[in-house]
Amino acid sequence: MPWNDAFECMPVEALKKLQLKKLKETVAWVSEKVPFYKNKFKEMGIKAGDIKSLEDVAKLPFTVKNDLRDNYPFGLCAVPLTEVVRVHASSGTTGKPITGPYTAEDLEQWIECMARNLWAAGIRKEDVVQNAYGHGLFTGGLGFHQGANRIDATVVPTSAGMTERQITLMKDFGTTVLCCTPSYALTIAEKAQDMGVDIRKLPLRVGIFGAEPWTTQMRDEIEARMGIKAMEAYGLTELGGPGVGFDCEAQSGIHINEDHYLAEVVDPVTLEPVPLGEKGELIFTSLQRRAMPMIRYRTKDITSLTREKCSCGRTFLKMNKVYGRTDDMLIISGVNVFPSQIETVLLQVEGVQPHYLILVDRERGAMDDLEIWVEVSED
């Protein structure tokens, strides 16, 4: 049974009607409250009343990360700061940080989406949730903390780092759920081995991982090394953090919280929408956010969407695992190559660890040289 079956199992036609209603409200809201969108709509000759169907979202302008940086810190905020109760932000490693302001209503929506995520992973009141996501400006730590609180689970907010202590607490507290990035889960598994701790014999039974791309092969490796079910959380700071999408026990795709987010996939070159099932760049429009709604935000994630009946009973669209990112794509001798493809191959090789470095150069003139440095296990 889903956390909120009234929405998660809503008949598709009713869901689309709800999305259209919320899309109209959001477009009207930003065209009135956010000068950036007001000017964009005016330039394109668009009015809020032009949105009469979900397909009309294609008439609206895209929003890209630089738009958020150019309007740093609160130029895209649709409410005065007196109505903002919290601000999160990205790390800003490639420029100014991306800010994420929330009204009290936005926080409630986020907590609802996170509760759905954890519930779908099988988390219940009886669980002890070790939250090893970074706490602070990063959305992960507090996002998972709030979601676990909402379902009344016991939360151990360890934050990231101090790996030896993480393992000690797992043993001492009887941790049943681990929340962290997938790469940190493998770091924990390696450290446990160094400490002589068989992590597969601990009460730990499930992990919820996100905040970085990871392949199905990496999921299989985590499950094998830790003896757990590895579940996924998908989200972006620009859209409020984790909780945009999640996988269920079927692990056959990531359910998108469609009552909160309208998803599209477009051709990354032409930017024209592509049919369900075809790969392209994932685009999101937030449908209920008040402080900083996003119109057609370009995630740069390459994936595809499907609408199929899921064994869990949810009717939400599913997105496939992220295939790669448009800004990570390498062109090697005219062939598009994503790091995730390389990782998939590497993890099929016995004795290779999921840590690697890709080197591309043209020392031999016009020919591309691709070199992969890998870490091997002690075995």
Side-chain angles (χ1 to χ4, degrees):
M1 177 69 70
W3 170 257
N4 189 338
D5 59 344
F7 290 101
E8 294 177 70
C9 301
M10 183 181 283
V12 174
E13 286 310 308
L15 181 58
K16 288 183 175 180
K17 284 182 181 177
L18 174 64
Q19 285 186 309
L20 180 58
K21 177 176 180 287
K22 295 297 182 183
L23 176 63
K24 288 178 175 179
E25 290 174 0
T26 297
V27 173
W29 177 251
V30 298
S31 62
E32 179 187 347
K33 302 290 185 179
V34 184
F36 171 79
Y37 285 120
K38 187 175 184 177
N39 294 334
K40 278 262 188 182
F41 292 172
K42 188 175 181 180
E43 287 171 15
M44 298 177 69
I46 299 167
K47 295 179 181 177
D50 294 338
I51 305 301
K52 302 184 187 302
S53 69
L54 287 178
E55 290 69 32
D56 287 339
V57 73
K59 298 177 180 178
L60 299 172
F62 291 104
T63 308
V64 297
K65 186 165 283 191
N66 277 344
D67 294 328
L68 280 77
R69 291 186 179 128
D70 292 344
N71 288 278
Y72 173 86
F74 303 118
L76 294 183
C77 198
V79 299
L81 275 180
T82 52
E83 293 182 31
V84 171
V85 297
R86 191 191 298 172
V87 179
H88 281 282
S90 70
S91 61
T93 50
T94 56
K96 287 182 179 178
I98 302 301
T99 51
Y102 302 76
T103 64
E105 184 183 348
D106 292 337
L107 277 185
E108 275 302 308
Q109 292 173 17
W110 187 21
I111 294 168
E112 162 70 17
C113 289
M114 289 307 301
R116 294 178 188 180
N117 193 156
L118 272 70
W119 192 266
I123 315 309
R124 299 294 184 267
K125 181 178 180 178
E126 299 78 22
D127 279 299
V128 177
V129 180
Q130 189 158 320
N131 184 5
Y133 279 106
H135 288 59
L137 284 175
F138 173 59
T139 53
L142 283 169
F144 280 90
H145 190 112
Q146 294 167 152
N149 280 162
R150 179 56 55 91
I151 59 180
D152 292 329
T154 301
V155 186
V156 184
T158 57
S159 196
M162 299 183 70
T163 308
E164 193 167 321
R165 189 184 69 168
Q166 301 273 4
I167 295 157
T168 300
L169 293 179
M170 278 182 192
K171 291 167 57 184
D172 295 347
F173 292 4
T175 299
T176 57
V177 181
L178 173 64
C179 300
C180 64
T181 63
S183 58
Y184 191 53
L186 287 172
T187 298
I188 290 173
E190 289 175 13
K191 176 59 76 172
Q193 189 174 0
D194 293 343
M195 293 169 62
V197 175
D198 187 349
I199 208 164
R200 290 169 297 186
K201 291 184 178 177
L202 299 182
L204 192 68
R205 63 180 183 82
V206 65
I208 308 178
F209 308 119
E212 62 188 23
W214 55 309
T215 59
T216 301
Q217 286 72 22
M218 192 170 181
R219 181 179 72 193
D220 294 344
E221 175 139 347
I222 292 170
E223 290 187 340
R225 292 178 69 170
M226 303 190 82
I228 63 174
K229 190 87 166 171
M231 308 296 284
E232 184 151 9
Y234 177 85
L236 305 91
T237 301
E238 298 88 333
L239 293 162
V244 174
F246 57 90
D247 61 3
C248 63
E249 62 266 23
Q251 290 185 308
S252 58
I254 300 167
H255 291 284
I256 292 169
N257 278 312
E258 284 194 277
D259 52 331
H260 292 271
Y261 304 98
L262 179 63
E264 310 168 70
V265 169
V266 302
D267 184 299
V269 177
T270 67
L271 300 183
E272 291 298 320
V274 302
L276 287 178
E278 285 193 19
K279 284 180 184 172
E281 183 179 346
L282 184 60
I283 310 294
F284 280 116
T285 299
S286 55
L287 297 175
Q288 298 200 44
R289 291 189 75 197
R290 301 298 284 173
M292 201 172 81
M294 286 285 104
I295 302 295
R296 300 194 84 195
Y297 182 74
R298 293 185 60 181
T299 67
K300 298 201 171 184
D301 287 337
I302 301 294
T303 187
S304 58
L305 299 174
T306 57
R307 174 85 70 187
E308 57 188 27
K309 189 174 182 180
C310 185
S311 58
C312 71
R314 292 175 179 85
T315 54
F316 287 161
L317 266 177
K318 285 183 184 177
M319 59 175 275
N320 289 309
K321 258 190 172 297
V322 173
Y323 181 74
R325 288 181 56 79
T326 57
D327 50 1
D328 285 344
M329 188 179 75
L330 306 169
I331 301 177
I332 310 298
S333 298
V335 178
N336 295 346
V337 179
F338 290 100
S340 57
Q341 293 173 295
I342 292 170
E343 181 178 297
T344 296
V345 175
L346 286 180
L347 291 181
Q348 293 171 5
V349 180
E350 190 174 349
V352 171
Q353 303 278 50
H355 307 299
Y356 58 95
L357 182 66
I358 302 171
L359 300 178
V360 184
D361 63 39
R362 289 197 176 99
E363 287 185 354
R364 293 185 296 140
M367 290 293 291
D368 289 322
D369 282 325
L370 178 69
E371 192 172 282
I372 315 296
W373 292 19
V374 299
E375 179 182 333
V376 295
S377 67
E378 291 182 6
D379 300 330

